Amino acid sequence: MVLAAWLQPPRSDVAVVTDPRERRGLWIEVTLVLLVTLGMSGLRSLVSLLDSLASTVPLAQQTVAINVPQARAGYLDLVGQLLSVTRLVAWGALGIFLLWRSRFTLASLGLDRTRPGRDGAWGAGLAALVGIPGLGLYLVARALDLNLNVAPSTLNSAWWTVPVLVLSAAANAWAEEALIVAYLLTRLRQLGAGGNGSLLASAVLRGSYHLYQGFGGFVGNVVLGLVFGRLWQRTGRLWPLVVGHTIIDVVAFVGYALLAPHVSWL
């Protein structure tokens, strides 16, 4: 009964916009936001996957890196990494700002600071719930030649490497959850999409910008998107998603950077 209840979308308090001019404006806004942020990442990721498939080398024998050097000089690389972090933070802030301008409060989006302990505990639980099966799916997809070998980091070892990887993880989590969950689900409901339809669209978009990793990356992130999106729909809390996503990425990014030189199967 509990599972059946969670599979059903909750009633939404978001009012559907009926004025044709306002609806047109919302569609234009959503299109532009996605084209300059994660939607464009999805299109570029699709191109990357098609390029990998066109190669004569099997997917499992190809490698793709997530955090890569952005300059040969160490401190210029640091500046480049921090600029990438700033861009991700700005992407997420853009989505939240646009909703705030539309009179959605931070509390209504689950971004108030009234329950940090509970939000943090929920986030840690989500990281364990999603992260461990996600690793298993990645390994299975690689074994079936459906996924590339993903190197979470190829950054050179420096005093700033681990802090930058942690910042990158947090920025990734913030951008994705703010845009793909809070912003997109809210806007789609305003445009009249149902709870399940908007959830599926959000999850598929999340999977699309992981296509560069292969089919396993796509499927795993669609599933993650369904879980995270439904949790936000049911609880209205965004911080646990940001925290959980951050933990997953910190473990992947920092763990790989520290272990890869010593563990051959990574």
Side-chain angles (χ1 to χ4, degrees), residues 40-169:
M40 181 59 70
S41 297
L43 295 174
R44 295 177 65 88
S45 190
L46 174 60
V47 172
S48 178
L49 175 61
L50 293 175
D51 184 54
S52 297
L53 290 171
S55 171
T56 57
V57 180
L59 286 183
Q61 296 179 26
Q62 299 181 47
T63 298
V64 61
I66 299 177
N67 294 284
V68 299
Q70 299 189 20
R72 288 187 294 272
Y75 282 99
L76 288 180
D77 189 13
L78 172 59
V79 171
Q81 301 297 331
L82 293 178
L83 289 176
S84 294
V85 167
T86 302
R87 178 180 59 188
L88 289 168
V89 172
W91 281 2
L94 173 63
I96 299 303
F97 175 74
L98 290 171
L99 293 178
W100 177 77
R101 284 288 301 269
S102 299
R103 302 187 182 281
F104 288 94
T105 65
L106 294 182
S108 71
L109 301 173
L111 285 171
D112 57 275
R113 294 175 291 176
T114 58
R115 40 186 284 185
R118 187 179 301 180
D119 287 342
W122 266 94
L126 275 175
L129 175 68
V130 176
I132 296 174
L135 176 60
L137 177 61
Y138 163 70
L139 294 175
V140 169
R142 273 188 58 192
L144 295 175
D145 194 28
L146 296 173
N147 219 77
L148 287 79
N149 176 43
V150 179
S153 173
T154 58
L155 297 181
N156 297 321
S157 179
W159 65 266
W160 50 263
T161 300
V162 170
V164 160
L165 289 174
V166 172
L167 287 176
S168 179

Side-chain angles (χ1 to χ4, degrees), residues 28 69 91 105 125 130 185 217 222 225 229 247 253 261:
I28 292 173
W91 281 2
T105 65
V130 176
L185 289 180
V222 168
I247 293 173
F253 295 173

